[in-house]
Amino acid sequence: LEDDFYELNMRVRNVEDEDDALYLMRQINTRISLIDDYVNSEDLSPNEAKRWNDSLEKFKRIRDDLSQNLIYKGKSYGLFVQYPDIHPDNY
């Protein structure tokens, strides 16, 4: 889980559209839930608890970064112009 942080952090910085952002948010939230459950259910030494709580805070930070990014609804690959329909009577 700790190694996933770097990959997810890179993907958050390069998110392209809303679908990518939602998928990443689910992945981040899953990791946060796993770590939180582990910390709360296991008998950890103070050093282990600090290590996992630090990881939890890292994932929460990238989740905050993702939620504050401007995300577009769809991928844009140029300008698109919509012309009106041309009918025989409509010249």
Side-chain angles (χ1 to χ4, degrees):
L1 288 174
E2 291 173 325
D3 292 337
D4 291 347
F5 169 76
Y6 297 102
E7 176 190 349
L8 290 171
N9 192 34
M10 177 70 75
R11 290 173 56 197
V12 164
R13 286 188 275 143
N14 294 303
V15 70
E16 291 187 18
D17 64 9
E18 187 178 31
D19 291 334
D20 291 343
L22 291 172
Y23 182 70
L24 276 172
M25 187 64 75
R26 277 188 233 114
Q27 289 184 318
I28 294 167
N29 285 337
T30 299
R31 282 152 180 81
I32 288 172
S33 295
L34 288 171
I35 294 171
D36 190 49
D37 184 53
Y38 181 70
V39 168
N40 291 323
S41 65
E42 298 294 322
D43 185 28
L44 302 173
S45 70
N47 287 338
E48 289 176 318
K50 181 183 180 329
R51 180 177 144 214
W52 286 111
N53 282 321
D54 289 347
S55 292
L56 187 65
E57 291 306 312
K58 284 182 181 180
F59 282 110
K60 287 181 179 180
R61 262 195 313 272
I62 63 171
R63 180 177 63 179
D64 290 342
D65 289 345
L66 178 61
S67 68
Q68 293 173 2
N69 281 348
L70 177 62
I71 308 294
Y72 295 100
K73 295 254 182 218
K75 294 181 182 177
S76 301
Y77 296 108
L79 296 175
F80 297 94
V81 178
Q82 185 174 3
Y83 294 100
D85 292 336
I86 298 176
H87 301 284
D89 309 353
N90 190 15
Y91 288 110

